Amino acid sequence: IAEMRINDLTGNTLEFGPTIMQWSEDLAQWSDEDGGLTCAYMTDAHRKSAEQLATWMREAGMQVHIDDVGNVVGRYLSGNPNAKTLLTGSHYDTVRNGGKYDGRLGILLPIAIVKYLNQQGEKLPFDFEIIGFAEEEGVRFRSTFLGSNAITGRFDLNLLDAKDADGITMREALEQAGHNVANIPGIARDPAKIAAFVEVHIEQGPVLVGKGLPLGVVTAIAGSSRYLVELKGLASHAGTTPMYMRKDAAAAAAEIVLLVEKRCANIESLVGTVGQLQVPNGSVNVIPGACKLSLDIRAADDKVREAAVKDILDGINEICERRFIEAKLEKVVEANAAPCAPWLMDQLGAAVETTGLPRFDLLSGAGHDAMAIAHLCDQAMLFTRCGNGGISHNPLETMTADDAELGAQALLHFLRNFKAK
Ligand code: HGY
Ligand code: MN
Ligand code: MN
Ligand code: MN
């Protein structure tokens, strides 16, 4: 049916889908690690990916520059000097061993549309700007949304001193890549010149695939709290130290993992994850004297999330006191839920319906650059279905050319009919 609908719609074979899928494959060739896709901020693979995006944008007829936090920015000019700019885009960094479409789809799909418009000689009545945000996942320097925060003027310059696992500071990484950190504040956009922001992204979850729908319109992006926890106990001999005398940091961490799981269970849209858990320099025959873990708590409702975070932090205190463990917590992300703008959702929904699909609204449990750009202008998101049951942040992340096509057809219709607020 999708095949038939697409042929009806375009009157010929797929316009955008195969290009988007091929570019996704091509872009995935650059990875920090062999086997699997890892593209962390300002690594060599990250810089090569930026250059490739810039090339595709240029070939599509866009004015292109790479700014000093590494955002790849392409502008498709309207020729109307008074027109406000419509922003779109997503991130091109990835999680470790991630998927090819997370973030990248939201850059490649609009480039394919601009390439088509440019070939047709069709201008839009507004300047259309595609931004490949340089960093959203927080893999190398822990902080997230570096690219989109620079665009909204909220880049925290103190982060330039943050060090990666090898002790390299963000400032050094940027300067080694030829960037001038003095220009970062100047990256901020003037809100008066921006009409809105729309991000196309894979859903990264099971809802659309469960509904059998290729596209969805996002209602809100869940808020999230991220902490790094360092537990300090006492390393001692695994054979001679009686159980009741131990200060076992890993056992405390294990209780914390189950506390998070229990506290977040069975509460609508509340999720909690310990994604990183390690015993630094652990040995089989040594009681773990230290343990590092991460907390990621999210919910659609900020009050629900804040209550869960409070209970979990109180719980960590109770576990550590009982086990004579010291805990050091560092809050690395606190982002409130970002509701999408109804006026934009309606225009996106109408565009989805032109592809012959029903409008279907859903929450985004995943964080997105749109929640950072929400500090600059109204935002909305278009989701495309994830295959393999919706898995993401995993090499099994997948999507189809048909769904990419439908997403592109919908966004093209949205652009051609966009009415600024
Ligand atoms: O973690 C997130 O939700 C996003 O994929 N960075
Ligand atoms: Mn992601
Ligand atoms: Mn993403
Ligand atoms: Mn995103």
Side-chain angles (χ1 to χ4, degrees):
I1 295 176
E3 189 66 27
M4 185 184 71
R5 182 172 40 249
I6 289 168
N7 288 334
D8 284 349
L9 206 63
T10 55
N12 47 37
T13 52
L14 296 173
E15 287 279 359
F16 307 107
T19 304
I20 294 163
M21 300 303 279
Q22 186 51 56
W23 283 351
S24 303
E25 290 300 321
D26 297 346
L27 204 54
Q29 69 184 293
W30 292 296
S31 176
D32 303 336
E33 291 155 4
D34 293 337
L37 175 56
T38 304
C39 183
Y41 189 51
M42 282 302 141
T43 61
D44 188 43
H46 186 265
R47 303 325 306 136
K48 289 199 172 81
S49 304
E51 287 308 325
Q52 178 61 73
L53 289 171
T55 300
W56 283 326
M57 287 179 176
R58 251 180 241 110
E59 289 169 353
M62 305 185 88
Q63 282 186 355
V64 184
H65 73 278
I66 297 178
D67 71 24
D68 278 303
V69 292
N71 293 323
V72 185
V73 182
R75 286 179 68 81
Y76 187 58
L77 301 177
S78 63
N80 169 357
N82 307 319
K84 286 194 171 187
T85 296
L86 179 66
L87 298 177
T88 190
S90 193
H91 59 97
Y92 64 91
D93 68 315
T94 72
V95 293
R96 280 198 187 86
N97 198 24
K100 299 182 187 110
Y101 309 100
D102 175 4
R104 287 145 178 236
L105 174 73
I107 308 165
L108 300 175
L109 182 145
I111 296 175
I113 291 175
V114 169
K115 186 180 178 88
Y116 171 79
L117 292 173
N118 192 45
Q119 279 163 350
Q120 307 291 318
E122 181 181 345
K123 291 284 181 205
L124 294 167
F126 45 81
D127 292 346
F128 184 45
E129 190 168 301
I130 304 174
I131 307 177
F133 295 110
E135 198 290 336
E136 186 257 19
E137 300 286 6
V139 166
R140 182 173 178 187
F141 293 103
R142 302 198 308 231
S143 50
T144 58
F145 303 129
L146 289 178
S148 34
N149 279 344
I151 294 290
T152 63
R154 298 169 68 251
F155 184 98
D156 176 0
L157 292 169
N158 296 316
L159 291 173
L160 291 172
D161 299 321
K163 290 189 176 161
D164 70 3
D166 302 324
I168 297 171
T169 66
M170 192 188 295
R171 174 185 283 100
E172 286 162 345
L174 281 163
E175 287 170 350
Q176 279 160 19
H179 289 303
N180 177 352
V181 297
N183 296 337
I184 293 176
I187 290 172
R189 290 291 192 284
D190 174 0
K193 295 198 179 115
I194 307 295
F197 174 74
V198 171
E199 180 171 0
V200 179
H201 203 289
I202 53 170
E203 178 205 338
Q204 298 186 287
V207 175
L208 290 178
V209 72
K211 289 274 181 197
L213 286 172
L215 303 179
V217 176
V218 175
T219 54
I221 304 164
S224 69
S225 300
R226 256 188 219 186
Y227 286 80
L228 294 177
V229 183
E230 289 195 29
L231 301 177
K232 188 170 170 300
L234 181 65
S236 56
H237 197 295
T240 58
T241 311
M243 294 308 282
Y244 66 90
M245 284 178 72
R246 296 179 174 207
K247 295 182 181 177
D248 185 334
E255 275 204 63
I256 292 168
V257 172
L258 294 176
L259 162 73
V260 169
E261 183 187 54
K262 191 156 173 263
R263 177 55 179 80
C264 296
N266 311 317
I267 297 174
E268 174 67 17
S269 99
L270 175 64
V271 286
T273 313
V274 174
Q276 290 175 324
L277 179 59
Q278 65 222 42
V279 177
N281 313 313
S283 303
V284 170
N285 55 357
V286 177
I287 298 165
C291 195
K292 290 184 176 178
L293 61 149
S294 60
L295 298 179
D296 178 322
I297 315 295
R298 308 188 195 200
D301 178 321
D302 292 330
K303 294 266 172 288
V304 169
R305 172 173 52 84
E306 286 155 6
V309 168
K310 181 183 177 323
D311 290 349
I312 287 166
L313 298 189
D314 290 349
I316 290 173
N317 277 336
E318 186 279 326
I319 291 164
C320 291
E321 261 173 41
R322 176 162 39 83
R323 288 175 168 273
F324 307 104
I325 299 285
E326 283 170 45
K328 198 167 95 202
L329 283 87
E330 181 194 350
K331 183 185 332 187
V332 289
V333 171
E334 181 78 40
N336 280 345
C340 297
W343 69 275
L344 271 175
M345 287 172 59
D346 290 346
Q347 293 189 34
L348 269 181
V352 167
E353 287 167 344
T354 62
T355 67
L357 294 168
R359 169 178 171 172
F360 176 76
D361 293 2
L362 72 167
L363 170 76
S364 173
H368 295 292
D369 292 297
M371 66 200 303
I373 299 295
H375 293 277
L376 175 73
C377 61
D378 281 352
Q379 55 82 16
M381 291 192 74
L382 179 67
F383 269 177
T384 60
R385 170 171 49 185
C386 265
N388 281 336
I391 196 165
S392 178
H393 281 184
N394 179 310
L396 293 174
E397 178 183 286
T398 185
M399 69 179 296
T400 64
D402 286 2
D403 287 1
E405 177 68 23
L406 286 164
Q409 296 284 351
L411 189 67
L412 175 58
H413 184 93
F414 170 83
L415 294 176
R416 282 173 167 164
N417 297 276
F418 176 66
K419 304 266 177 308
K421 196 172 174 180

